[in-house]
Amino acid sequence: GPEASAHAGVARESETNGVIAQDKNFLQAGGAANFLGSLLTADVAYDTTGPYMTDLLARRSFGPQQAALEWSHASDNFTQGGLSAFAPINAVSADLRGPITESFMGLRHLTYTANSQYSESQDGSNSLISTGTVSAYRGTYGLSQGLSYDVSNAAGVGPSQGTWSGLTTFTGYAGKGRWRLTSNYGVAPYSLETMAADYTYDTSPSLEWIGDVTRASNTGVTEFALRAR
C-alpha cells in the first residue's frame, strides 16, 4: 500500500555576505510519499520575517534506469546559509542515469548519467547547465568521459554564447593504493584548462592519505597537497 512520512522543525542560522551578519529563524516542514511507484517529496522553509522557499522532488526507477525531476521556488529576499543577491528564486533540474550494457568491445559495466539544470536568480540572471557522462571499466582500470554545455545570461544583458567543456577521468590501482588522472578542457575550440593527479593510500580502515597535484594551464600554476582523512 501507499507509504508516507512527514517532518517539521525550527532552525536558527547566522548568515553573512562577508560584510554584515544577520540572525534568522526558520520554520521547516516536509513530507514524502510513495505514489504509483514514484517517490515524491515536498519541503517548505519559512523565514519568520516573511520570505519562503518550496522544493518538490520526484524519483522513479524504470527497471535499472533511475530518473529524478526537481523544482524549487523561493520568494524575493529568501536566503538560507548566506546573504547573496544571486540566490536562485526558480530552479528546475532533471536527472537520468543507469546501465548501458554489461560489456562492449572489451569494456565492462558501461553506465551513463545525464542531467540538466536551469536556474533564475534574484538579480535577474539565469543559467542552463547540461552534462552527460559515460563510464566503463577494463580490467582494474576505469574510464569516464563527460561533456557539458553551460550558458549564463547576466541581468540586463542579451543572451550569451554557450560554452562546451569536457572532463576525462582515468582511475586504477598501484600497489596498495588508488590513483586518478583528470583533465578538464574546453571544446570547440579545444583549450586545456586543468590537469590533476592524485594517489590515495589506506594505512588503516579508518585512515587514508591522499597526495595530489593540479596544473592550471590558464595561469601556469601547479599546486601540490598532502592530506589525511
Side-chain angles (χ1 to χ4, degrees), residues 146-161:
L147 184 64
S148 297
Y149 178 75
D150 185 349
V151 57
S152 300
N153 299 312
V157 180
S160 63
Q161 183 175 0

Side-chain angles (χ1 to χ4, degrees), residues 182-193:
T182 60
S183 175
N184 192 306
Y185 47 90
V187 178
Y190 173 81
S191 60
L192 181 62
E193 297 176 1

Side-chain angles (χ1 to χ4, degrees), residues 63-138:
Q65 313 299 325
Q66 300 178 17
L69 182 64
E70 184 174 15
W71 172 81
S72 62
H73 168 73
S75 64
D76 289 342
N77 301 318
F78 179 89
T79 59
Q80 187 170 11
L83 301 175
S84 172
F86 302 100
I89 58 173
N90 287 298
V92 179
S93 65
D95 184 275
L96 186 64
R97 63 186 60 211
I100 300 174
T101 182
E102 184 61 27
S103 63
F104 177 74
M105 298 180 64
L107 300 175
R108 301 181 298 108
H109 305 310
L110 277 78
T111 61
Y112 76 96
T113 61
N115 56 72
S116 184
Q117 177 174 320
Y118 174 78
S119 62
E120 299 174 342
S121 298
Q122 294 181 14
D123 68 340
S125 62
N126 61 74
S127 67
L128 172 66
I129 302 175
S130 299
T131 304
T133 304
V134 175
S135 302
Y137 291 89
R138 185 178 180 88

Side-chain angles (χ1 to χ4, degrees), residues 26-27 35 51 69 77 84 123 139 143 158 201 208 220 222:
F26 295 92
L27 304 178
F35 180 72
L69 182 64
N77 301 318
S84 172
D123 68 340
L143 168 64
Y201 184 82
E208 64 181 13
T222 301

